[in-house]
């Protein structure tokens, strides 16, 4: 972490997740937030944002230090943290392409202090292309994955965000990809950057915690997304509805079993893998869900709003790992095929 009194933090994507954690960081008085609001700039400038959060409290008309419409505008300075809270939809654009003005600046004018990228996004392998792009830049960088377990929604035309129930944010850093000009930061710097972020979020009221292994945390999270998010989306049903039917409950179990097999084949065997990704985790996930839950996973909310969904990150990412390791995934293949048909329609309508 730099010695600056106030850190500059750029949050790219100011939907519910981005705004919630931006507000948490702002509450510490240690950061200045630059919010890149690609679709909700006018609403934010005119009304500010009302926050109604169980963990962060209530606030009316909050405005971050500054809001900009594009990543280009945000690239006028360097940042201690660049929080990626946009949906990872590689069939529309990749993370390095979306962040290219910030990456170009890092390359042309490398700061001496570390820049940490924080990926608050769902999926498997979503960090790969960013790590690859950063390996060609000499500036010192760290990539952190954040797995969010939180029910937060933008309501009232984006003027308000609500957050109910429990919240957990599991954060861990990735080992950097090596490259000819990569400035591979010592592991201690990655740890410091992670600890600083977690300390700030916890001070604000979040239940942020460090993952001993970012990859295991991602697989643990995708167990939920690849099963609940996809089945709820294909059936347009609440979490409680897919739990209630014996057939769909069994389908959730079958999908999670496939994901677990791929996870174990992809990860280096370790006691942590055995513990976090044991067969018992499926029962734990199923029994932890409220059978009466009316929760709509974000993939279903995207479909309802006519927005492209995180199919590639959530299902495609698992399938690509499965193919590398020769793991058959008949259930996930079918889910993927169905979702891709819907996704194509969503992307085509968006282009019209
Ligand atoms: C798992 C989840 C409900 C937690 O916030 C979220 O990832 C979602 O809906 O995609």
């Amino acid at each position: 972490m730099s010695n600056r009194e106030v850190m500059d933090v750029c949050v790219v994507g100011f939907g519910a997740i981005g705004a919630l954690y931006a507000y948490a960081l702002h509450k510490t008085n240690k950061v200045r937030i630059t919010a890149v609001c690609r679709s909700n700039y006018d609403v934010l400038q005119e009304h500010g944002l009302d926050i109604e959060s169980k963990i962060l409290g209530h606030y009316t008309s909050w405005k971050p230090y500054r809001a900009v419409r594009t990543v280009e505008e945000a690239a006028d300075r360097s940042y201690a943290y660049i929080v990626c809270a946009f949906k990872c939809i590689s069939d529309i654009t990749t993370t390095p392409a979306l962040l290219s003005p910030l990456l170009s600046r890092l390359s042309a004018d490398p700061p001496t202090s570390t820049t940490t990228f924080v990926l608050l996004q769902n999926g498997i392998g979503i960090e790969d292309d960013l790590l690859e792009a950063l390996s060609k830049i000499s500036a010192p960088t760290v990539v952190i994955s954040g797995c969010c377990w939180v029910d937060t929604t933008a309501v009232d035309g984006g003027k308000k965000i609500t957050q109910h129930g429990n919240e957990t944010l599991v954060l861990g850093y990735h080992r950097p990809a090596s490259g000819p000009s990569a400035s591979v930061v010592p592991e201690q710097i990655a740890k410091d950057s992670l600890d600083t972020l977690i300390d700030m979020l916890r001070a604000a009221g979040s239940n942020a915690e460090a993952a001993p292994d970012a990859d295991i945390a991602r697989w643990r999270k995708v167990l939920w997304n690849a099963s609940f998010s996809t089945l709820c989306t294909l059936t347009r049903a609440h979490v409680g509805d897919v739990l209630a039917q014996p057939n769909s409950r069994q389908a959730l179990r079958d999908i999670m079993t496939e994901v677990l097999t791929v996870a174990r084949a992809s990860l280096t065997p370790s006691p942590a893998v055995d513990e976090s990704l044991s067969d018992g985790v499926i029962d734990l996930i199923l029994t932890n869900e409220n059978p009466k839950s009316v929760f709509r996973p974000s993939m279903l909310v995207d479909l309802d709003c006519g927005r492209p969904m995180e199919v590639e990150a959530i299902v495609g990412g698992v399938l690509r790992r499965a193919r590398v390791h020769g793991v058959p995934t008949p259930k996930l293949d079918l889910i993927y095929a169905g979702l891709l048909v819907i996704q194509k329609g969503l992307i085509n309508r968006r282009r019209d």
Side-chain angles (χ1 to χ4, degrees):
M1 184 192 135
S2 82
N3 289 328
R4 279 173 291 178
E5 281 287 295
V6 173
M7 277 182 274
D8 273 301
V9 173
C10 181
V11 179
V12 186
F14 221 60
I17 293 272
L20 184 79
Y21 289 109
Y23 180 66
L25 293 173
H26 157 86
K27 270 186 80 183
T28 64
N29 290 323
K30 291 184 177 162
V31 308
R32 299 195 300 199
I33 300 284
T34 293
V36 181
C37 309
R38 291 173 305 154
S39 60
N40 49 356
Y41 176 87
D42 291 334
V43 175
L44 186 70
Q45 290 297 63
E46 280 167 34
H47 305 274
L49 193 62
D50 293 345
I51 315 270
E52 190 185 291
S53 160
K54 188 181 162 205
I55 54 159
L56 304 179
H58 291 205
Y59 197 91
T60 308
S61 299
W62 174 59
K63 286 191 179 175
Y65 166 69
R66 69 174 183 152
V68 295
R69 286 180 200 272
T70 63
V71 179
E72 281 83 358
E73 288 171 78
D76 62 350
R77 65 190 68 191
S78 56
Y79 295 95
Y81 292 90
I82 295 173
V83 179
C84 301
F86 50 88
K87 288 280 166 70
C88 185
I89 304 188
S90 60
D91 28 358
I92 294 191
T93 187
T94 65
T95 297
L98 204 147
L99 298 181
S100 65
L102 290 164
L103 299 184
S104 300
R105 185 191 162 95
L106 268 180
S107 185
D109 186 13
T112 47
S113 54
T114 305
T115 305
T116 299
F117 291 81
V118 185
L119 306 178
L120 299 185
Q121 296 159 318
N122 288 319
I124 290 297
I126 58 151
E127 68 284 359
D128 291 348
D129 54 4
L130 180 60
L131 285 168
E132 173 66 23
L134 293 176
S135 75
K136 302 188 177 101
I137 293 176
S138 66
T141 54
V142 170
V143 177
I144 286 177
S145 257
C147 300
C148 312
W149 298 89
V150 59
D151 175 4
T152 182
T153 322
V155 294
D156 202 7
K159 290 181 203 152
K160 180 177 184 175
I161 60 156
T162 59
Q163 179 267 316
H164 304 288
N166 296 333
E167 174 266 356
T168 309
L169 173 56
V170 185
L171 294 152
Y173 58 85
H174 292 279
R175 303 279 179 290
S178 51
S181 59
S183 171
V184 176
V185 299
E187 193 153 345
Q188 191 56 47
I189 292 190
K191 278 199 178 106
D192 290 349
S193 178
L194 177 67
D195 290 347
T196 302
L197 181 64
I198 290 178
D199 288 348
M200 288 193 290
L201 290 167
R202 290 190 74 86
S206 159
N207 297 301
E209 59 183 59
D213 184 310
D215 294 319
I216 296 179
R218 282 221 160 270
W219 280 104
R220 179 68 183 70
K221 170 93 197 271
V222 88
L223 274 173
W224 197 97
N225 288 126
S227 53
F228 281 94
S229 303
T230 60
L231 274 192
C232 289
T233 303
L234 287 169
T235 58
R236 289 197 179 238
H238 298 142
V239 163
D241 294 337
V242 295
L243 276 170
Q245 296 293 329
N247 289 359
S248 46
R249 197 180 171 92
Q250 184 59 42
L252 290 169
R253 192 177 278 284
D254 293 345
I255 296 167
M256 284 194 256
T257 304
E258 282 189 7
V259 176
L260 271 185
T261 311
V262 183
R264 291 182 197 137
S266 310
L267 292 164
T268 309
S270 72
V273 172
D274 294 345
E275 194 191 328
S276 307
L277 298 169
S278 69
D279 290 343
V281 92
I282 297 178
D283 285 324
L284 203 71
I285 292 173
L286 289 173
T287 47
N288 270 355
E289 283 302 329
N290 174 1
K292 297 203 164 60
S293 170
V294 290
F295 184 73
R296 301 167 78 73
S298 60
M299 188 183 265
L300 175 56
V301 175
D302 286 339
L303 174 60
D304 284 346
C305 297
R307 295 187 295 246
M309 310 172 293
E310 299 172 298
V311 184
E312 280 308 328
I314 291 173
V315 192
V318 176
L319 293 184
R320 280 184 283 280
R321 293 288 199 266
R323 296 301 87 95
V324 168
H325 296 281
V327 179
T329 49
K331 298 265 182 330
L332 274 169
D333 292 345
L334 197 59
I335 296 274
Y336 186 57
L339 286 172
L340 280 189
V341 173
I342 304 176
Q343 178 82 334
K344 186 125 182 56
L346 291 168
I347 293 177
N348 286 345
R349 275 196 286 284
R350 191 173 164 268
R351 288 194 179 125
D352 288 344

